[in-house]
């Protein structure tokens, strides 16, 4: 029985690794295709864009090519008129679908891109056929929302570095001390970092009380979808205070001993 479970477990791990590698390789191919498609749209190369579609797919067999051409030309016209020619495209995420749950197309992958100029941004959502590796659908979203300022994000990003620096400083204080069971104190430093404050350039600040953050600091950078998290280092503050108190007691005892000896 143990041998059977072990084999099942190994097969499951192998399956997950294989699928993860396949998804990674597919994502690279989809990103390349998406960039090619978007460059063609910006340059008005409609026919080249059409060639990237999975026209042999069952869902597109009934599509009129002229209708597809007109839709892509409208995409080109709207993009140039609303955002100009100087547009930057940024990959956001890819999601694979194995079934038709949530109205998704089975055996497909959603690929999302952000586009922006120096004032506003929007999105492009692709659906790729995992068999042919070609496009099934493209859906631009011309939100025309103004770009958020990233100044506050960078300020918090830099100031927040003081939190892990302080945690590491106290970690070193514990290491040099005469305390017993130091490993428990290290765990306290790592775990007791809350409450947390999150900052998103698009949404602003968010406060969460019970949200533990490793060493009290973290961030992710995805253009305007970036975020930074800082937490109150409760564990480090406590042990900093405790060690300083012990240090003062030791200094006082040493001073008292010197007075007695003299």
């Amino acid at each position: 029985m143990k041998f059977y479970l072990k084999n099942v477990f190994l097969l499951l791990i192998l399956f997950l690794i294989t699928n993860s590698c396949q998804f990674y390789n597919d994502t690279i191919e989809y990103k390349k295709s998406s960039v090619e498609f978007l460059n063609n749209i910006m340059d008005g190369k409609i026919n080249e864009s059409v060639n990237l579609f999975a026209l042999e797919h069952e869902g597109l067999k009934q599509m009129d090519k002229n209708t597809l051409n007109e839709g892509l030309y409208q995409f080109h016209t709207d993009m140039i008129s609303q955002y100009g020619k100087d547009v930057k495209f940024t990959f956001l995420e890819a999601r694979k679908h194995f079934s038709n749950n949530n109205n998704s197309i089975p055996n497909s992958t959603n690929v999302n891109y952000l586009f922006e100029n120096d004032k506003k941004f929007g999105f492009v959502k692709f659906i790729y056929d995992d068999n042919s590796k070609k496009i099934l659908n493209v859906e631009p979203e011309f939100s025309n929302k103004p770009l958020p300022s990233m100044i506050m994000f960078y300020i918090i990003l830099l100031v927040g570095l003081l939190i892990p620096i302080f945690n590491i400083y106290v970690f070193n204080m514990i290491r040099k001390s005469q305390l017993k069971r130091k490993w428990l104190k290290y765990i306290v430093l790592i775990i007791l970092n809350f409450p947390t404050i999150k900052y998103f350039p698009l949404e602003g600040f968010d406060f969460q009380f019970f949200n533990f953050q490793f060493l009290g600091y973290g961030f992710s950078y995805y253009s305007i979808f970036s975020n930074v998290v800082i937490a109150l280092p409760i564990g480090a503050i406590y042990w900093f205070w405790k060690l300083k108190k012990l240090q003062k007691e030791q200094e006082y005892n040493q001073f008292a001993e010197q007075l007695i000896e003299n």
Side-chain angles (χ1 to χ4, degrees), residues 16 21 32 40 54 58-59 98 103 114 144 154 159 176 178 190 199 208 219 256:
L16 293 174
C21 292
K32 182 179 178 181
N40 287 337
E58 190 65 32
F98 294 99
N103 297 320
L114 167 77
N144 286 314
Y154 290 120
V159 174
K176 294 180 178 180
Q178 301 300 317
I190 294 173
Y199 179 76
Q208 294 181 328
F219 71 94

Side-chain angles (χ1 to χ4, degrees), residues 21 36 38 62 68 98 103 116-117 139 166 184 192 208 221 236 240 255:
C21 292
E36 181 182 355
L38 292 169
Q62 303 301 321
L68 179 58
F98 294 99
N103 297 320
E116 59 184 296
N117 57 17
E139 184 181 347
F166 178 65
L184 285 174
L192 293 187
Q208 294 181 328
Y221 188 81
F240 178 81
F255 178 71

Side-chain angles (χ1 to χ4, degrees), residues 185-204:
K185 283 71 175 177
Y186 297 150
I187 292 176
V188 169
L189 290 185
I190 294 173
I191 294 179
L192 293 187
N193 289 281
F194 69 95
T196 61
I197 296 176
K198 295 183 179 182
Y199 179 76
F200 305 85
L202 277 176
E203 302 171 6

Side-chain angles (χ1 to χ4, degrees), residues 46-47 50-51 55 60 62-72:
I46 307 303
N47 290 331
V50 171
N51 293 334
L55 298 177
L60 297 182
Q62 303 301 321
M63 176 174 285
D64 182 23
K65 249 190 171 183
N66 291 329
T67 302
L68 179 58
N69 272 272
E70 290 175 3
L72 295 179

Side-chain angles (χ1 to χ4, degrees), residues 18-261:
T18 303
N19 279 274
S20 296
C21 292
Q22 184 62 48
F23 176 67
Y24 176 77
N25 292 331
D26 287 348
T27 300
I28 293 176
E29 188 170 347
Y30 296 152
K31 288 169 67 176
K32 182 179 178 181
S33 175
S34 298
V35 171
E36 181 182 355
F37 174 87
L38 292 169
N39 286 333
N40 287 337
I41 287 294
M42 294 302 297
D43 295 336
K45 299 177 180 178
I46 307 303
N47 290 331
E48 285 83 346
S49 298
V50 171
N51 293 334
L52 297 174
F53 277 80
L55 298 177
E56 69 284 357
H57 190 273
E58 190 65 32
L60 297 182
K61 282 184 178 180
Q62 303 301 321
M63 176 174 285
D64 182 23
K65 249 190 171 183
N66 291 329
T67 302
L68 179 58
N69 272 272
E70 290 175 3
L72 295 179
Y73 183 76
Q74 188 63 49
F75 183 5
H76 163 76
T77 302
D78 292 341
M79 178 67 80
I80 299 300
S81 63
Q82 296 185 45
Y83 291 84
K85 293 185 177 182
D86 189 12
V87 179
K88 176 185 176 183
F89 296 98
T90 304
F91 170 76
L92 294 178
E93 64 173 352
R95 294 182 180 179
K96 183 177 285 293
H97 299 284
F98 294 99
S99 65
N100 57 357
N101 294 332
N102 300 321
N103 297 320
S104 60
I105 301 174
N107 299 316
S108 67
T109 299
N110 287 13
V111 177
N112 296 328
Y113 267 79
L114 167 77
F115 59 85
E116 59 184 296
N117 57 17
D118 57 347
K119 295 181 180 179
K120 52 189 179 180
F121 67 94
F123 306 97
V124 182
K125 301 177 182 179
F126 293 88
I127 299 179
Y128 277 92
D129 173 33
D130 289 333
N131 295 320
S132 65
K133 310 299 187 220
K134 290 188 176 183
I135 300 170
L136 292 174
N137 188 42
V138 179
E139 184 181 347
E141 181 182 332
F142 300 103
S143 63
N144 286 314
K145 294 180 180 179
L147 283 172
S149 173
M150 298 293 288
I151 295 177
M152 181 61 70
F153 170 78
Y154 290 120
I155 291 175
I156 298 175
L157 187 71
L158 294 174
V159 174
L161 284 172
L162 296 175
I163 302 296
I165 290 174
F166 178 65
N167 272 304
I168 294 171
Y169 175 77
V170 177
F171 182 96
N172 198 44
M173 288 178 65
I174 295 173
R175 184 181 63 83
K176 294 180 178 180
S177 71
Q178 301 300 317
L179 294 173
K180 297 180 180 180
R181 292 188 293 183
K182 294 180 181 180
W183 62 273
L184 285 174
K185 283 71 175 177
Y186 297 150
I187 292 176
V188 169
L189 290 185
I190 294 173
I191 294 179
L192 293 187
N193 289 281
F194 69 95
T196 61
I197 296 176
K198 295 183 179 182
Y199 179 76
F200 305 85
L202 277 176
E203 302 171 6
F205 289 96
D206 180 41
F207 176 82
Q208 294 181 328
F209 188 80
F210 290 107
N211 186 355
F212 300 98
Q213 183 66 33
F214 181 75
L215 289 180
Y217 180 75
F219 71 94
S220 62
Y221 188 81
Y222 295 104
S223 186
I224 60 175
F225 292 94
S226 305
N227 69 79
V228 59
V229 184
I230 58 175
L232 182 65
I234 295 177
I237 291 173
Y238 171 78
W239 282 112
F240 178 81
W241 169 79
K242 188 72 174 179
L243 288 170
K244 286 296 183 181
K245 183 180 179 181
L246 291 174
Q247 183 181 356
K248 287 182 179 180
E249 289 177 355
Q250 291 174 356
E251 291 175 351
Y252 176 79
N253 292 335
Q254 290 176 358
F255 178 71
E257 291 176 359
Q258 290 176 358
L259 288 178
I260 293 174
E261 290 177 356

